[in-house]
Amino acid sequence: MILFLTFVAATLGITFWASRQTKTAADYYAGGRSFSGVQNGLAIGGDYMSAASFLGIAGIIALSGYDGFLYSIGFLVAWLVALLLVAELMRNSGKFTMADVLAFRMSPRPVRTAAGVSTIVVSIFYLLAQMVGAGALVGLLLGITGDAGKAWTIVGVGALMIVYVVFGGMKGTTWVQIVKAVLLMGGAALVTVLVLANFGFNLSALLGQAATVSGPEANPQSFLSPGLKYGTEAQGLAGKIDLISLGLALVLGTAGLPHILIRFYTVPTAKDARKSVLWGIGIIGVFYLLTLVLGFGAAALVGREAIAAGDAAGNTAAPMLAQQIGQEMFGAVGGTILLALIGAVAFATILAVVAGLTLASSSSFAHDLYAHVFRRGQASERQEVVVARISAFVIGAVAIGLGILAQGQNVAFLVALAFAVAASGNLPAILYSLFWKRFNTAGAVSAIYGGLVSALLLVIFSPVVSGSETALIKTADFAWFPLSNPGIISIPLGFLCGWIGTVLSKEYNAAKYAEIEVRSLTGVGMEKASKH
């Protein structure tokens, strides 16, 4: 509790300091574009390495072996798409939100409406995962086993998150993310080294014990082979397709995540945007290699049954591993201290990510929907920031409510759904806008709504919501779509809708495309855009 409270007090102090520095809309939305490439790279790592990465992936590897590690690979490879296709071009073309890029060469009101709705939906999906992780984590640390206790935990985390965003804005959120990235890397590296030391730094010995302790009795070695979670005999072909669908969502989703996209606007130049993504990839790459040891270490030392008993979705595997390895290496006190340390780091992870997500969605509501759609560009900067702060309360409340409903789901799995929605709706519109000369308003609106609605409908009628043991609604069964992840259908559909909408519309502005092409490739005109 002391470690917990120390961290919360430190981050609240950062938020209070940042609130004194936040005077303009550029300060609130983009941190005054004052962060260096290295600082923003750390913040990107802090924003991206969420509860899904730390708690969810470690848990899914501990429960499903090889199939769980595919999450780590997917989350990491996704950054190549963001680096090569999106980061620098978005930084040069936009101002505060994803919609700025789309609205530049198209009719702004319908495009901003669609982009704002999509941003809020994706952010709430992602927030859902962080809230579930918070409930599981604090429940473990405080010995809370009942759903009601975990629900109050989720309410507490949501309240803290709202405070960070309302008062700190982007400046406070970024510094919290930088601190959290350093803590998370340090904590994960410490546990990884201790686990490897326990096995004489022999990875084969670690994997062998993980298979023996946590693999199926009939064939323990299957724990180290594909097919334990996806592609089992019971699932048949649907399981294999589900795996491909998951991979598509993970690899393409990052470049469409609103809270990642706004990070490119916090640096002063395109060169810094590139540098920040390279630093982010380095930090994230090392971290996802560590999740391999964390997940299989939990399977070897804690055991699949004990992890599932603590949390059915495996979200507490990493803290349980920290306690176990601490006890084995340093005794009971060492185990308690290491559990508290990793718990505080995981809590830091959740707070930093939820702050980034809430900021992205509240910024989009205020800047895109309120200022440009409802007020038709007539709102002052001060009014925008006030509305952003109010919408942070509303979005936080929605996330808290849905987080309470989604208890029992694995957080990495929930984040994969957010990735699928982002890749289906946002990514087609962004790529078409940056690279297709003929793209127009009808195409942008069709791409966003087509991808978004299809992804949401397929999730609603999938085993995620009903008809399975881990469904959100366990008492009903209206699941006619057999896959847990909709990406393989909804992502191509988003691109197809964008193409159809474009070719059916006669709208075309060659001059505007030429201007955004020059701006996205060179940055010329960006300074002018930042002032308006």
Side-chain angles (χ1 to χ4, degrees):
M1 286 301 291
I2 290 168
L3 271 169
F4 247 62
L5 295 174
T6 301
F7 178 79
V8 170
T11 50
L12 285 173
I14 291 170
T15 303
F16 178 71
W17 166 81
S19 70
R20 307 286 294 275
Q21 316 293 316
T22 301
K23 296 180 174 63
T24 66
D27 288 334
Y28 187 83
Y29 292 136
R33 305 187 204 282
S34 60
F35 292 98
S36 70
V38 177
Q39 288 172 332
N40 198 45
L42 280 167
I44 283 174
D47 212 356
Y48 194 69
M49 296 182 297
S50 65
S53 303
F54 190 45
L55 302 177
I57 293 178
I60 215 162
I61 291 173
L63 297 181
S64 305
Y66 178 95
D67 280 9
F69 190 53
L70 294 170
Y71 280 85
S72 296
I73 302 297
F75 283 143
L76 177 57
V77 172
W79 273 102
L80 295 176
V81 179
L83 172 64
L84 297 174
L85 297 179
V86 172
E88 183 181 349
L89 304 181
M90 286 287 287
R91 161 63 186 76
N92 288 341
S93 309
K95 183 182 177 187
F96 295 139
T97 65
M98 174 186 81
D100 289 335
V101 177
L102 303 177
F104 180 78
R105 52 184 284 223
M106 298 165 198
S107 179
R109 292 187 77 207
V111 170
R112 284 191 184 276
T113 302
V117 169
S118 179
T119 295
I120 292 167
V121 170
V122 173
S123 297
I124 286 175
F125 259 100
Y126 215 123
L127 277 169
L128 194 60
Q130 312 310 312
M131 296 300 190
V132 171
L137 176 72
V138 181
L140 171 72
L141 293 171
L142 302 184
I144 298 169
T145 54
D147 287 347
K150 289 180 181 178
W152 280 110
T153 300
I154 290 170
V155 172
V157 171
L160 267 175
M161 157 189 91
I162 291 167
V163 168
Y164 288 149
V165 175
V166 168
F167 295 103
M170 178 57 89
K171 211 164 253 185
T173 298
T174 299
W175 279 111
V176 169
Q177 286 164 346
I178 290 170
V179 170
K180 165 257 165 135
V182 173
L183 286 175
L184 181 59
M185 289 299 291
L190 174 62
V191 176
T192 298
V193 169
L194 291 176
V195 170
L196 289 174
N198 192 59
F199 289 92
F201 292 93
N202 185 336
L203 191 60
S204 295
L206 166 62
L207 296 175
Q209 184 165 323
T212 303
V213 173
S214 296
E217 284 185 27
N219 182 14
Q221 289 306 306
S222 65
F223 194 72
L224 306 177
S225 304
L228 205 59
K229 181 173 176 65
Y230 297 100
T232 61
E233 285 185 26
Q235 293 171 324
L237 181 62
K240 294 180 174 66
I241 295 174
D242 210 2
L243 179 58
I244 297 170
S245 187
L246 169 70
L248 270 175
L250 295 180
V251 170
L252 297 176
T254 296
L257 289 174
H259 69 295
I260 297 297
L261 294 175
I262 65 169
R263 291 240 57 90
F264 302 138
Y265 298 131
T266 63
V267 290
T269 66
K271 182 181 176 183
D272 285 313
R274 280 197 308 277
K275 185 192 280 188
S276 60
V277 176
L278 288 171
W279 269 89
I281 287 175
I283 294 163
I284 292 161
V286 171
F287 176 77
Y288 283 127
L289 286 175
L290 301 182
T291 61
L292 176 66
V293 178
L294 294 175
F296 283 112
L301 298 174
V302 182
R304 190 176 188 278
E305 290 184 9
I307 293 167
D311 183 87
N315 295 322
T316 54
M320 290 172 83
L321 170 64
Q323 185 174 26
Q324 182 68 30
I325 195 68
Q327 283 178 351
E328 290 189 14
M329 304 284 276
F330 311 112
V333 175
T336 304
I337 290 172
L338 200 56
L339 170 64
L341 178 68
I342 296 304
V345 167
F347 195 63
T349 295
I350 290 165
L351 289 177
V353 175
V354 294
L357 286 160
T358 309
L359 182 66
S361 45
S362 61
S363 298
S364 184
F365 180 85
H367 182 65
D368 297 325
L369 297 178
Y370 172 76
H372 288 91
V373 176
F374 303 151
R375 295 292 303 275
R376 298 175 183 270
Q378 300 302 308
S380 67
E381 282 196 351
R382 186 176 175 279
Q383 288 173 322
E384 263 192 59
V385 173
V386 168
V387 170
R389 287 173 165 155
I390 293 169
S391 60
F393 276 98
V394 177
I395 290 161
V398 172
I400 289 168
L402 290 174
I404 292 170
L405 285 176
Q407 289 182 72
Q409 294 279 350
N410 179 277
V411 290
F413 169 72
L414 287 172
V415 163
L417 291 181
F419 273 59
V421 176
S424 303
N426 295 348
L427 187 64
I430 291 168
L431 292 183
Y432 278 150
S433 182
L434 292 172
F435 296 106
W436 188 16
K437 190 182 295 187
R438 176 81 174 75
F439 196 50
N440 54 35
T441 304
V445 172
S446 301
I448 293 174
Y449 285 135
L452 184 68
V453 172
S454 63
L456 287 177
L457 282 175
L458 291 175
V459 168
I460 289 169
F461 294 107
S462 77
V464 175
V465 174
S466 70
S468 69
E469 292 179 9
T470 56
L472 292 178
I473 306 171
K474 294 181 176 61
T475 54
D477 184 1
F478 44 84
W480 51 261
F481 182 65
L483 308 182
S484 296
N485 195 292
I488 198 166
I489 304 292
S490 58
I491 295 171
L493 205 56
F495 280 96
L496 179 64
C497 288
W499 179 80
I500 292 172
T502 300
V503 297
L504 291 180
S505 169
K506 294 180 180 177
E507 180 197 356
Y508 174 52
N509 190 328
K512 278 287 188 183
Y513 175 75
E515 188 176 343
I516 199 169
E517 185 178 34
V518 170
R519 181 186 291 186
S520 66
L521 292 173
T522 66
V524 172
M526 178 59 205
E527 291 73 20
K528 181 182 173 184
S530 298
K531 291 173 185 173
H532 293 291

